[in-house]
Amino acid sequence: MIDIVYDAIVVGSGMSGGWAAKELTEKGLKTLMIESGRDVQHPIDYPTTNMMPWEFEHRGKLPLVVANQYKSMRKHFLMDESTIHFIKKDAEQEYIQDKPFDWIRGNQVGGRSLLWGRHTQRWSDFDFEGPNRDGFAIDWPIRYNDIAPWYSHVEKFIGVSGNKDGLDILPDGEFLPPFDMTCIEKHFKESVEKIIMAGM
């Protein structure tokens, strides 16, 4: 065997590991990524991508006998009939816990990054200043302005859908066009705007 020396070893290919490997290799470091899950073949390993809600046997919900195999995460919004093939069962998790913890792991190259859906929000100073303002935990050593350039760097690569609303509590980003709202969402938006305008 030939001895190979790596500059970095990344364990797991999800959001954090995948991004770390990308940045390290682009900077010229010889990087080894270790992943225990299966290789996902595009597009054949996305069996539910183009299915409509009524095409699922249980309309997206999980039968109790199946849900009980995923107790650690069955209340999470990601967990339903359309995503279950990308989530590990409780019995397959390689961890031991002393206290209850909802551990949500994918079991494939890409981890849970395959489930993120192109929508993510930046933290604002309201979030970073939370511990200091509300008197809990330890204050963050950074603020929004420290990390804003990194948000932009990541968003330009991954593609994030969003709308520039100019809200201090929800900073604008490097957005792709937003997803179109449903008819219910549009009606709700118009109703709220009417209420606001009537109160002015």
Side-chain angles (χ1 to χ4, degrees), residues 4 20-21 28 30 33 40 46 53 70 79 95 97 111 125 142 156 160 165 169 177 183 186 188 191:
I4 302 176
K30 187 182 290 186
M33 175 178 282
V40 175
Y46 293 88
Y70 299 85
M79 192 64 188
Y95 68 93
Q97 61 182 7
D125 276 329
I142 58 173
K156 287 175 184 175
V160 177
D165 296 314
I169 60 169
C183 58
K186 288 176 183 175
F188 179 76
S191 300

Side-chain angles (χ1 to χ4, degrees), residues 1-6 30 32:
M1 291 184 65
I2 300 173
D3 290 334
I4 302 176
V5 177
Y6 293 96
K30 187 182 290 186
L32 173 67

Side-chain angles (χ1 to χ4, degrees), residues 2-31:
I2 300 173
D3 290 334
I4 302 176
V5 177
Y6 293 96
D7 299 308
I9 298 175
V10 176
V11 179
S13 62
M15 286 287 198
S16 299
W19 190 267
K22 170 198 171 295
E23 291 292 309
L24 292 168
T25 55
E26 286 179 353
K27 298 296 185 289
L29 277 73
K30 187 182 290 186
T31 306

